[in-house]
Amino acid sequence: MLFVTAVATLAGLTALLATLLVVANARLHVEEDPRIDQAEDLLPHANCGACGRPGCRPFAEALVTGEANPAECTVSSPEAQATLAAFLGVALEEREKQVARLACAGGTNVARNHAAYSGLSSCTAAALVAGGGKGCFWGCLGIGDCEVACGFDAIHMDPHHLPVVDADKCTACGDCVTACPKDLFSLQPVSRRLWVRCASHDAGDEILEDCEVACTACGRCAFDAPAGLITMRDELPVIDYSRPDHSANDVPIRRCPTGAIVWLDPEEGPVKGPAARKVLRKGDRRSAAT
Amino acid sequence: MLSFLRKSPADGTTIRGTFAHGVHPPEAKDDTSKLAIRQFPFAPSFVVPVSQHIGKPAKVIVREGQKVRRGECIAEPDGFLSVAMHSPVTGTVRGIGPVPSITGRMVEGIFLEPSAASSQEVMHGTPCDVATASVDEILTAIQRAGVVGLGGAGFPTHAKLKIPEGKRCDTLLINGVECEPYLTTDHRVMLEHAADVMVGLRYLLKLTAAKRTIIAVEANKADAAEALRAAVPSDLQVEVAVLPVKYPQGAEKLLITALLGREVPSGGLPIDVGAVCTNVATTAEIGQLLPTGQGIQERVLTLGGPGIRDKGNYRVPIGTPLRFVMETAGTTGELGHVFLGGPMMGQAVSSLDIPVTKGTTGVIAFTADQTGPLTDRLEYPCIRCGACLEACPLFLNPSRMGLLAKHGRYDEMVAEEHLFDCFECGSCTFVCPSHIPLVQHFRVAKTQMRRRKAKA
């Protein structure tokens, strides 16, 4: 008898709760566009935030409502973007590929430190201890917060503790831009060939003492460039990329004495002008006594 | 419970209670505490940053090539939370531009070159008489004198002394605790400038209308307490309280707990519990400057640590480059570590080009062979011993915060562990047997949270 009661009670309870679930499912059903799931499946699932949305799912929702274009997902390959556009029945916007670029060339072989930093292995932490000990206050600290932040394995530290961006792998998600405590990274369209690899607001001999490849603010590049393309501001050349002729030729870099302004060749990488002082040192530049 | 700690000083006065937790680092004050304050010579060049305080940087009112006199105002306060800057020397303005600072950022500053005939004479301004001046006049005079908290934080003093509407101050605390190891500046100021402290007190009493005044001194400075007691004028009611030696007793919130048994609420100010707390050197400076209308152009700092040859307490002009300070005082060998402030809360210096500012309480140096190679201090994993919980004077959980910080979980540190209550006293790092740089973790976490907030 006890056995029968127990089974009956549980069976009754099961039936009751099942009914409740069925009713709830029917009553509280949310109509969702099935294309959202399908579109999300076509995305790379990187959840990197490069599109400006919190993740791939919100981006898929925006795609379906027409608020976003498949081209905004910089992580997808052109083929994947085309597939997605065909699936959604929209035209693929023309967008130029962007990459992260570092505005510093002061590796340990050319730039020197005023003090040795010891402590947490992080640029952000080092920057909080009197700037990190680097002679140049604006320069790359070389501990590699950007390498850690990069989720696409596109940033690697070179032997002189300077991050090198692999343009093929870089998806312009902007994580390195946020990670750098010295704000040296920025996202740049690949067609921009002229690039200033220095962020120092010091000038002349003062900055050369701390870094051999720094911009001395001599102004030769600004003089040689087409009128108005390069202006000197706060001891640095500023290139007006809004002009169509911003990367017409490499004339502005030819007389640069330190190689702070470079021509980014798609094949060879950064090219310094012929007048730039050669850096032959392989090891670290000796630190100055404090 | 802790009665065994409360030794009675020689004169028979009882030692007060103290706050819970905290640590006892070696005091290391004997080298300099007996040395009288000496005037420091002029450097061949000066750099005066216009932002030596918390708040808006001062507005430069001189131009390149202009001749200035010692004590002349060279930058005006820009808004309420800002103070004036004064020229430390008679000379010429050589330029205005970015100067390196201890924070690692470049700040605007004024480069000065002293003239060959620069003397110690200081320009006088409009005096502010305590008997006749109104509350607002005194506040303005303090702001125009460029007075900031000389204990190191650099908060504009007039802003601290302005009692907000609806709040009342019943107790005025003068902080002469100086719990940082090595530092003896407040100690010497109390001994040698006790009369100035009393003059400054009159101004503060007029501003706060406090009924009770307590000067707090730690038991290792009994001679200073004695000097202050002797200097109290007959018409002033001032208690000189001697506290047991403990770190970080000089933090104003903990000092209020130790003396009055009141707890300043999280995110609150001392005035929320009816108290105003001012550093003793700041008080002495007010007492010295306001009657003559002068501005701060020099401060007393301790040059100490085993790396310094001529240790002592010096009155150094603001803007003196650290390099000149080290060259003049001499070093005992190749420098290893240099700190501005004490070893607990002070900042490591990365370059000797930064100048002495109003917040510099001392310069502590160690030679390279005294600190050992930097790689010696290995960090080990947290063993959950709880030593940091016993040390934290604010009853936070540094152990858990450290673990959260390691994984970048900064939101939880703020929401669950009250990260922003931490004032980075360093007690947790001091006791950690695993050498985990906890305070540095917290600083990074705070910076990241502020960055996120600024972006949002």
Side-chain angles (χ1 to χ4, degrees), chain A residues 114-120 122 124-133 137-138 177-183 201-202 289-290, chain B residues 98 100-106 323 335-337 347-354 374 377 379 437 440-441 443-444 447-448 451 455:
Chain A
H114 280 291
Y117 166 76
S118 77
L120 283 180
S122 138
T124 314
L128 288 174
V129 184
F137 268 84
W138 293 271
V177 180
T178 338
C180 181
K182 302 271 176 182
D183 294 326
H201 295 303
D202 265 340
T290 37
Chain B
S101 76
I102 185 67
T103 59
R105 283 189 302 270
M106 293 296 239
R323 195 176 300 282
L335 287 178
H337 279 178
Q347 288 258 26
V349 170
S350 70
S351 149
L352 292 182
D353 294 325
I354 61 168
L374 295 169
R377 261 152 287 154
E379 184 188 331
Q440 206 186 3
H441 273 303
R443 279 190 191 150
V444 171
T447 318
Q448 298 289 25
R451 263 176 93 145
K455 228 177 232 174

Short mmCIF file of all heavy atoms in Angstrom, two decimals, chain A residues 114-120 122 124-133 137-138 177-183 201-202 289-290, chain B residues 98 100-106 323 335-337 347-354 374 377 379 437 440-441 443-444 447-448 451 455:
data_model
loop_
_atom_site.label_atom_id
_atom_site.label_comp_id
_atom_site.label_asym_id
_atom_site.label_seq_id
_atom_site.Cartn_x
_atom_site.Cartn_y
_atom_site.Cartn_z
N HIS A 114 66.42 55.06 -17.38
CA HIS A 114 67.00 55.82 -16.28
C HIS A 114 67.09 54.95 -15.04
O HIS A 114 67.90 55.17 -14.18
CB HIS A 114 66.14 57.04 -15.97
CG HIS A 114 66.38 58.18 -16.89
ND1 HIS A 114 67.55 58.88 -16.90
CD2 HIS A 114 65.61 58.74 -17.84
CE1 HIS A 114 67.48 59.82 -17.82
NE2 HIS A 114 66.32 59.76 -18.41
N ALA A 115 66.18 53.99 -14.95
CA ALA A 115 66.13 53.15 -13.75
C ALA A 115 65.63 51.78 -14.15
O ALA A 115 64.94 51.62 -15.15
CB ALA A 115 65.19 53.76 -12.72
N ALA A 116 66.03 50.77 -13.37
CA ALA A 116 65.55 49.42 -13.64
C ALA A 116 64.26 49.21 -12.87
O ALA A 116 64.21 49.50 -11.67
CB ALA A 116 66.60 48.41 -13.22
N TYR A 117 63.25 48.71 -13.55
CA TYR A 117 61.97 48.47 -12.88
C TYR A 117 61.92 47.02 -12.41
O TYR A 117 62.31 46.11 -13.13
CB TYR A 117 60.83 48.75 -13.84
CG TYR A 117 59.50 48.21 -13.38
CD1 TYR A 117 58.79 48.87 -12.38
CD2 TYR A 117 58.96 47.04 -13.91
CE1 TYR A 117 57.59 48.38 -11.93
CE2 TYR A 117 57.75 46.56 -13.47
CZ TYR A 117 57.07 47.23 -12.48
OH TYR A 117 55.87 46.75 -12.03
N SER A 118 61.47 46.82 -11.18
CA SER A 118 61.20 45.47 -10.72
C SER A 118 59.87 45.48 -10.01
O SER A 118 59.55 46.43 -9.30
CB SER A 118 62.29 44.97 -9.78
OG SER A 118 62.13 45.54 -8.52
N GLY A 119 59.10 44.47 -10.22
CA GLY A 119 57.77 44.44 -9.62
C GLY A 119 56.87 43.64 -10.53
O GLY A 119 57.34 42.78 -11.27
N LEU A 120 55.57 43.93 -10.47
CA LEU A 120 54.62 43.21 -11.29
C LEU A 120 55.02 43.29 -12.75
O LEU A 120 55.40 44.35 -13.22
CB LEU A 120 53.23 43.83 -11.13
CG LEU A 120 52.47 43.50 -9.87
CD1 LEU A 120 51.14 44.20 -9.91
CD2 LEU A 120 52.27 42.01 -9.75
N SER A 122 53.98 43.97 -15.74
CA SER A 122 52.90 44.55 -16.52
C SER A 122 53.25 46.01 -16.80
O SER A 122 53.75 46.71 -15.93
CB SER A 122 51.58 44.45 -15.75
OG SER A 122 50.82 45.62 -15.86
N THR A 124 51.24 48.46 -17.31
CA THR A 124 50.38 49.35 -16.54
C THR A 124 50.94 49.54 -15.14
O THR A 124 50.97 50.66 -14.62
CB THR A 124 48.95 48.75 -16.44
OG1 THR A 124 48.58 48.31 -17.74
CG2 THR A 124 47.97 49.78 -15.94
N ALA A 125 51.41 48.44 -14.52
CA ALA A 125 51.97 48.53 -13.18
C ALA A 125 53.26 49.34 -13.21
O ALA A 125 53.50 50.20 -12.36
CB ALA A 125 52.23 47.14 -12.62
N ALA A 126 54.10 49.09 -14.23
CA ALA A 126 55.37 49.81 -14.32
C ALA A 126 55.15 51.30 -14.52
O ALA A 126 55.84 52.13 -13.94
CB ALA A 126 56.21 49.24 -15.46
N ALA A 127 54.15 51.63 -15.35
CA ALA A 127 53.89 53.04 -15.64
C ALA A 127 53.50 53.79 -14.38
O ALA A 127 53.70 55.01 -14.28
CB ALA A 127 52.78 53.16 -16.68
N LEU A 128 52.95 53.07 -13.39
CA LEU A 128 52.52 53.73 -12.15
C LEU A 128 53.71 53.99 -11.22
O LEU A 128 53.61 54.79 -10.29
CB LEU A 128 51.49 52.87 -11.41
CG LEU A 128 50.12 52.82 -12.05
CD1 LEU A 128 49.23 51.83 -11.34
CD2 LEU A 128 49.49 54.20 -12.02
N VAL A 129 54.83 53.30 -11.43
CA VAL A 129 56.01 53.54 -10.60
C VAL A 129 56.88 54.55 -11.32
O VAL A 129 57.77 54.20 -12.09
CB VAL A 129 56.78 52.23 -10.33
CG1 VAL A 129 57.93 52.49 -9.38
CG2 VAL A 129 55.86 51.18 -9.76
N ALA A 130 56.60 55.81 -11.09
CA ALA A 130 57.37 56.90 -11.67
C ALA A 130 57.56 56.74 -13.17
O ALA A 130 58.61 57.04 -13.71
CB ALA A 130 58.72 57.04 -10.96
N GLY A 131 56.56 56.23 -13.86
CA GLY A 131 56.61 56.18 -15.31
C GLY A 131 57.25 54.93 -15.87
O GLY A 131 57.20 54.72 -17.07
N GLY A 132 57.88 54.12 -15.04
CA GLY A 132 58.41 52.86 -15.52
C GLY A 132 59.91 52.82 -15.71
O GLY A 132 60.47 51.79 -16.02
N GLY A 133 60.59 53.94 -15.55
CA GLY A 133 62.05 53.92 -15.58
C GLY A 133 62.66 54.18 -16.95
O GLY A 133 63.86 54.34 -17.07
N PHE A 137 59.73 59.47 -21.54
CA PHE A 137 58.49 59.34 -20.78
C PHE A 137 57.33 58.81 -21.61
O PHE A 137 56.37 58.31 -21.09
CB PHE A 137 58.08 60.69 -20.20
CG PHE A 137 58.61 60.92 -18.82
CD1 PHE A 137 59.89 61.42 -18.66
CD2 PHE A 137 57.86 60.64 -17.71
CE1 PHE A 137 60.39 61.63 -17.39
CE2 PHE A 137 58.35 60.84 -16.44
CZ PHE A 137 59.62 61.34 -16.29
N TRP A 138 57.44 58.95 -22.96
CA TRP A 138 56.31 58.61 -23.81
C TRP A 138 56.45 57.22 -24.41
O TRP A 138 55.53 56.70 -24.98
CB TRP A 138 56.19 59.65 -24.94
CG TRP A 138 55.82 60.98 -24.44
CD1 TRP A 138 54.55 61.47 -24.27
CD2 TRP A 138 56.69 62.04 -24.03
NE1 TRP A 138 54.59 62.74 -23.78
CE2 TRP A 138 55.89 63.13 -23.63
CE3 TRP A 138 58.06 62.19 -23.96
CZ2 TRP A 138 56.41 64.32 -23.16
CZ3 TRP A 138 58.59 63.37 -23.49
CH2 TRP A 138 57.78 64.44 -23.10
N VAL A 177 45.05 48.70 -28.15
CA VAL A 177 44.90 50.15 -27.98
C VAL A 177 44.51 50.46 -26.54
O VAL A 177 45.01 51.38 -25.92
CB VAL A 177 43.84 50.70 -28.96
CG1 VAL A 177 43.68 52.20 -28.80
CG2 VAL A 177 44.22 50.36 -30.39
N THR A 178 43.59 49.64 -25.99
CA THR A 178 43.14 49.85 -24.61
C THR A 178 44.21 49.44 -23.61
O THR A 178 44.33 50.03 -22.55
CB THR A 178 41.88 49.01 -24.32
OG1 THR A 178 41.25 48.71 -25.55
CG2 THR A 178 40.93 49.72 -23.41
N ALA A 179 44.97 48.38 -23.96
CA ALA A 179 45.90 47.83 -22.97
C ALA A 179 47.11 48.73 -22.75
O ALA A 179 47.65 48.78 -21.65
CB ALA A 179 46.37 46.45 -23.44
N CYS A 180 47.55 49.46 -23.76
CA CYS A 180 48.79 50.22 -23.65
C CYS A 180 48.63 51.42 -22.72
O CYS A 180 47.83 52.31 -22.99
CB CYS A 180 49.24 50.70 -25.03
SG CYS A 180 50.79 51.62 -24.95
N PRO A 181 49.40 51.46 -21.61
CA PRO A 181 49.25 52.58 -20.68
C PRO A 181 49.83 53.88 -21.24
O PRO A 181 49.55 54.95 -20.73
CB PRO A 181 50.03 52.12 -19.45
CG PRO A 181 51.02 51.15 -19.96
CD PRO A 181 50.39 50.48 -21.15
N LYS A 182 50.65 53.78 -22.28
CA LYS A 182 51.23 54.98 -22.87
C LYS A 182 50.48 55.41 -24.12
O LYS A 182 50.93 56.32 -24.83
CB LYS A 182 52.71 54.75 -23.19
CG LYS A 182 53.56 54.34 -22.01
CD LYS A 182 54.14 55.54 -21.29
CE LYS A 182 54.90 55.12 -20.05
NZ LYS A 182 55.44 56.22 -19.29
N ASP A 183 49.37 54.75 -24.44
CA ASP A 183 48.53 55.08 -25.59
C ASP A 183 49.33 55.15 -26.89
O ASP A 183 49.19 56.10 -27.68
CB ASP A 183 47.81 56.41 -25.35
CG ASP A 183 46.81 56.29 -24.22
OD1 ASP A 183 46.22 55.21 -24.09
OD2 ASP A 183 46.64 57.27 -23.45
N HIS A 201 57.33 64.19 -26.95
CA HIS A 201 57.16 65.64 -27.08
C HIS A 201 58.44 66.37 -26.71
O HIS A 201 58.44 67.60 -26.64
CB HIS A 201 55.99 66.12 -26.22
CG HIS A 201 54.67 65.60 -26.68
ND1 HIS A 201 54.21 65.80 -27.96
CD2 HIS A 201 53.74 64.85 -26.07
CE1 HIS A 201 53.04 65.21 -28.11
NE2 HIS A 201 52.73 64.61 -26.98
N ASP A 202 59.52 65.65 -26.45
CA ASP A 202 60.82 66.29 -26.29
C ASP A 202 61.42 66.46 -27.68
O ASP A 202 60.96 65.85 -28.64
CB ASP A 202 61.75 65.42 -25.43
CG ASP A 202 61.71 65.84 -23.97
OD1 ASP A 202 61.30 66.99 -23.71
OD2 ASP A 202 62.06 65.02 -23.10
N ALA A 289 73.30 56.23 -15.53
CA ALA A 289 73.32 56.22 -14.06
C ALA A 289 72.26 57.18 -13.57
O ALA A 289 72.07 58.25 -14.12
CB ALA A 289 74.69 56.61 -13.56
N THR A 290 71.57 56.80 -12.51
CA THR A 290 70.49 57.64 -12.01
C THR A 290 70.99 58.88 -11.31
O THR A 290 72.00 58.90 -10.71
CB THR A 290 69.58 56.88 -11.03
OG1 THR A 290 70.36 56.01 -10.25
CG2 THR A 290 68.53 56.12 -11.77
N PRO B 98 56.73 71.12 -20.40
CA PRO B 98 56.51 69.89 -19.64
C PRO B 98 57.72 69.50 -18.79
O PRO B 98 58.86 69.60 -19.25
CB PRO B 98 56.24 68.85 -20.72
CG PRO B 98 56.78 69.41 -21.98
CD PRO B 98 56.80 70.89 -21.84
N PRO B 100 59.18 66.45 -15.92
CA PRO B 100 58.87 65.12 -15.39
C PRO B 100 58.37 65.21 -13.94
O PRO B 100 58.79 66.10 -13.20
CB PRO B 100 60.20 64.38 -15.46
CG PRO B 100 61.24 65.44 -15.52
CD PRO B 100 60.61 66.62 -16.18
N SER B 101 57.47 64.31 -13.56
CA SER B 101 56.98 64.31 -12.20
C SER B 101 57.05 62.89 -11.65
O SER B 101 57.23 61.94 -12.40
CB SER B 101 55.54 64.82 -12.14
OG SER B 101 54.67 63.81 -12.60
N ILE B 102 56.87 62.77 -10.35
CA ILE B 102 56.97 61.48 -9.69
C ILE B 102 55.87 60.52 -10.15
O ILE B 102 56.02 59.31 -10.08
CB ILE B 102 56.95 61.66 -8.15
CG1 ILE B 102 57.17 60.33 -7.42
CG2 ILE B 102 55.67 62.29 -7.68
CD1 ILE B 102 58.53 59.74 -7.60
N THR B 103 54.77 61.05 -10.67
CA THR B 103 53.68 60.19 -11.10
C THR B 103 54.01 59.48 -12.40
O THR B 103 53.30 58.58 -12.82
CB THR B 103 52.40 61.00 -11.34
OG1 THR B 103 52.71 61.98 -12.34
CG2 THR B 103 51.93 61.69 -10.09
N GLY B 104 55.11 59.90 -13.08
CA GLY B 104 55.44 59.29 -14.35
C GLY B 104 54.85 60.04 -15.51
O GLY B 104 55.13 59.74 -16.66
N ARG B 105 54.02 61.00 -15.24
CA ARG B 105 53.46 61.82 -16.31
C ARG B 105 54.26 63.11 -16.41
O ARG B 105 54.89 63.54 -15.46
CB ARG B 105 51.99 62.15 -16.02
CG ARG B 105 51.05 61.02 -16.28
CD ARG B 105 49.62 61.52 -16.17
NE ARG B 105 49.36 62.09 -14.85
CZ ARG B 105 48.91 61.39 -13.81
NH1 ARG B 105 48.69 60.12 -13.94
NH2 ARG B 105 48.69 61.97 -12.66
N MET B 106 54.21 63.74 -17.58
CA MET B 106 54.81 65.06 -17.70
C MET B 106 53.75 66.08 -17.29
O MET B 106 52.59 65.95 -17.66
CB MET B 106 55.22 65.32 -19.16
CG MET B 106 56.33 64.43 -19.63
SD MET B 106 57.86 64.71 -18.73
CE MET B 106 58.98 65.16 -19.99
N ARG B 323 68.67 65.71 -8.38
CA ARG B 323 70.08 65.46 -8.67
C ARG B 323 70.97 66.37 -7.83
O ARG B 323 71.97 65.95 -7.27
CB ARG B 323 70.35 65.68 -10.16
CG ARG B 323 71.66 65.12 -10.66
CD ARG B 323 71.78 65.31 -12.16
NE ARG B 323 70.73 64.63 -12.90
CZ ARG B 323 70.71 63.32 -13.14
NH1 ARG B 323 71.69 62.57 -12.74
NH2 ARG B 323 69.72 62.78 -13.81
N LEU B 335 74.06 54.65 -6.21
CA LEU B 335 72.69 54.58 -5.69
C LEU B 335 71.95 53.37 -6.26
O LEU B 335 72.07 53.05 -7.44
CB LEU B 335 71.93 55.85 -6.05
CG LEU B 335 72.32 57.09 -5.25
CD1 LEU B 335 71.53 58.28 -5.74
CD2 LEU B 335 72.08 56.87 -3.77
N GLY B 336 71.20 52.70 -5.38
CA GLY B 336 70.36 51.60 -5.83
C GLY B 336 68.92 52.04 -5.89
O GLY B 336 68.33 52.18 -6.95
N HIS B 337 68.36 52.31 -4.72
CA HIS B 337 66.96 52.73 -4.65
C HIS B 337 66.86 54.12 -4.06
O HIS B 337 67.52 54.41 -3.06
CB HIS B 337 66.16 51.77 -3.76
CG HIS B 337 65.75 50.52 -4.47
ND1 HIS B 337 65.06 49.51 -3.87
CD2 HIS B 337 65.94 50.13 -5.74
CE1 HIS B 337 64.85 48.54 -4.75
NE2 HIS B 337 65.38 48.90 -5.88
N GLN B 347 57.28 56.90 -2.91
CA GLN B 347 57.31 56.48 -4.30
C GLN B 347 58.74 56.27 -4.73
O GLN B 347 59.60 57.11 -4.46
CB GLN B 347 56.72 57.60 -5.17
CG GLN B 347 55.23 57.74 -5.02
CD GLN B 347 54.50 57.10 -6.19
OE1 GLN B 347 55.02 56.19 -6.82
NE2 GLN B 347 53.30 57.56 -6.46
N ALA B 348 59.02 55.17 -5.44
CA ALA B 348 60.34 54.97 -6.01
C ALA B 348 60.55 55.98 -7.12
O ALA B 348 59.63 56.32 -7.84
CB ALA B 348 60.47 53.56 -6.55
N VAL B 349 61.78 56.48 -7.22
CA VAL B 349 62.10 57.50 -8.20
C VAL B 349 62.77 56.84 -9.39
O VAL B 349 63.63 55.97 -9.21
CB VAL B 349 63.05 58.53 -7.56
CG1 VAL B 349 63.61 59.47 -8.59
CG2 VAL B 349 62.33 59.30 -6.47
N SER B 350 62.39 57.20 -10.61
CA SER B 350 63.03 56.60 -11.77
C SER B 350 64.07 57.52 -12.38
O SER B 350 64.90 57.10 -13.15
CB SER B 350 61.99 56.23 -12.82
OG SER B 350 61.45 57.38 -13.40
N SER B 351 64.00 58.80 -12.04
CA SER B 351 64.95 59.73 -12.62
C SER B 351 65.22 60.83 -11.61
O SER B 351 64.32 61.29 -10.91
CB SER B 351 64.35 60.32 -13.90
OG SER B 351 64.80 61.63 -14.09
N LEU B 352 66.48 61.27 -11.53
CA LEU B 352 66.81 62.31 -10.56
C LEU B 352 66.53 63.70 -11.12
O LEU B 352 66.89 64.71 -10.52
CB LEU B 352 68.28 62.20 -10.14
CG LEU B 352 68.61 60.96 -9.33
CD1 LEU B 352 70.08 60.96 -8.92
CD2 LEU B 352 67.75 60.89 -8.07
N ASP B 353 65.89 63.78 -12.29
CA ASP B 353 65.58 65.09 -12.86
C ASP B 353 64.31 65.68 -12.27
O ASP B 353 63.99 66.83 -12.54
CB ASP B 353 65.42 64.97 -14.38
CG ASP B 353 66.74 64.60 -15.02
OD1 ASP B 353 67.78 65.07 -14.51
OD2 ASP B 353 66.74 63.83 -16.00
N ILE B 354 63.57 64.90 -11.48
CA ILE B 354 62.34 65.44 -10.93
C ILE B 354 62.67 66.35 -9.75
O ILE B 354 63.67 66.16 -9.06
CB ILE B 354 61.35 64.34 -10.51
CG1 ILE B 354 61.96 63.45 -9.43
CG2 ILE B 354 60.92 63.50 -11.68
CD1 ILE B 354 60.94 62.56 -8.80
N LEU B 374 67.88 43.09 -7.96
CA LEU B 374 66.42 43.15 -8.00
C LEU B 374 65.79 41.78 -8.16
O LEU B 374 64.65 41.57 -7.78
CB LEU B 374 65.99 44.03 -9.17
CG LEU B 374 66.39 45.50 -9.05
CD1 LEU B 374 66.15 46.21 -10.37
CD2 LEU B 374 65.63 46.18 -7.94
N ARG B 377 64.19 39.20 -4.98
CA ARG B 377 62.91 39.15 -4.29
C ARG B 377 61.89 38.37 -5.10
O ARG B 377 61.09 38.92 -5.84
CB ARG B 377 62.40 40.57 -4.02
CG ARG B 377 62.71 41.00 -2.60
CD ARG B 377 62.85 42.47 -2.52
NE ARG B 377 64.10 42.90 -3.11
CZ ARG B 377 64.29 44.10 -3.64
NH1 ARG B 377 63.32 44.94 -3.70
NH2 ARG B 377 65.47 44.42 -4.11
N GLU B 379 58.60 36.22 -5.93
CA GLU B 379 57.23 36.21 -5.44
C GLU B 379 56.73 34.76 -5.38
O GLU B 379 56.95 34.00 -6.32
CB GLU B 379 56.36 37.03 -6.37
CG GLU B 379 54.94 37.18 -5.91
CD GLU B 379 54.06 37.84 -6.97
OE1 GLU B 379 54.57 38.64 -7.76
OE2 GLU B 379 52.87 37.52 -6.99
N PRO B 437 53.39 41.66 -4.26
CA PRO B 437 53.28 43.13 -4.28
C PRO B 437 51.82 43.57 -4.28
O PRO B 437 51.31 44.06 -5.28
CB PRO B 437 54.01 43.53 -5.57
CG PRO B 437 53.93 42.33 -6.44
CD PRO B 437 53.80 41.12 -5.57
N GLN B 440 50.81 47.20 -5.19
CA GLN B 440 50.95 47.49 -6.62
C GLN B 440 49.77 46.92 -7.41
O GLN B 440 49.26 47.56 -8.32
CB GLN B 440 52.27 46.92 -7.13
CG GLN B 440 52.77 47.70 -8.33
CD GLN B 440 54.00 47.10 -8.96
OE1 GLN B 440 54.48 46.06 -8.55
NE2 GLN B 440 54.49 47.78 -9.96
N HIS B 441 49.34 45.72 -7.02
CA HIS B 441 48.14 45.15 -7.64
C HIS B 441 46.96 46.10 -7.48
O HIS B 441 46.20 46.33 -8.41
CB HIS B 441 47.79 43.82 -6.96
CG HIS B 441 48.49 42.63 -7.55
ND1 HIS B 441 48.39 42.30 -8.87
CD2 HIS B 441 49.28 41.68 -6.99
CE1 HIS B 441 49.08 41.20 -9.11
NE2 HIS B 441 49.65 40.81 -7.98
N ARG B 443 46.98 49.34 -6.93
CA ARG B 443 47.14 50.57 -7.70
C ARG B 443 46.75 50.34 -9.15
O ARG B 443 46.08 51.17 -9.76
CB ARG B 443 48.59 51.04 -7.65
CG ARG B 443 48.89 51.79 -6.38
CD ARG B 443 50.24 52.47 -6.43
NE ARG B 443 50.56 52.95 -5.11
CZ ARG B 443 51.79 53.07 -4.63
NH1 ARG B 443 52.81 52.75 -5.37
NH2 ARG B 443 51.99 53.52 -3.42
N VAL B 444 47.19 49.19 -9.70
CA VAL B 444 46.84 48.88 -11.09
C VAL B 444 45.32 48.77 -11.20
O VAL B 444 44.71 49.33 -12.11
CB VAL B 444 47.52 47.57 -11.54
CG1 VAL B 444 46.99 47.13 -12.89
CG2 VAL B 444 49.02 47.75 -11.59
N THR B 447 43.68 52.15 -11.14
CA THR B 447 43.89 52.87 -12.39
C THR B 447 42.98 52.34 -13.48
O THR B 447 42.36 53.10 -14.22
CB THR B 447 45.34 52.71 -12.87
OG1 THR B 447 46.19 52.83 -11.74
CG2 THR B 447 45.72 53.74 -13.88
N GLN B 448 42.89 51.00 -13.59
CA GLN B 448 42.07 50.41 -14.63
C GLN B 448 40.60 50.77 -14.43
O GLN B 448 39.89 51.07 -15.39
CB GLN B 448 42.22 48.88 -14.66
CG GLN B 448 43.62 48.41 -14.97
CD GLN B 448 44.03 48.66 -16.43
OE1 GLN B 448 43.50 49.55 -17.08
NE2 GLN B 448 44.99 47.91 -16.92
N ARG B 451 40.07 54.30 -15.46
CA ARG B 451 40.10 54.41 -16.92
C ARG B 451 38.77 53.98 -17.51
O ARG B 451 38.24 54.62 -18.41
CB ARG B 451 41.22 53.54 -17.48
CG ARG B 451 42.49 54.30 -17.75
CD ARG B 451 43.57 53.37 -18.20
NE ARG B 451 43.60 53.28 -19.66
CZ ARG B 451 44.74 53.12 -20.35
NH1 ARG B 451 45.87 53.05 -19.73
NH2 ARG B 451 44.71 53.04 -21.64
N LYS B 455 35.96 56.26 -19.54
CA LYS B 455 35.54 55.92 -20.89
C LYS B 455 34.01 55.80 -20.99
O LYS B 455 33.43 56.16 -21.99
CB LYS B 455 36.18 54.58 -21.26
CG LYS B 455 36.83 54.63 -22.64
CD LYS B 455 37.50 53.34 -22.94
CE LYS B 455 38.94 53.56 -23.35
NZ LYS B 455 39.63 52.29 -23.53
#
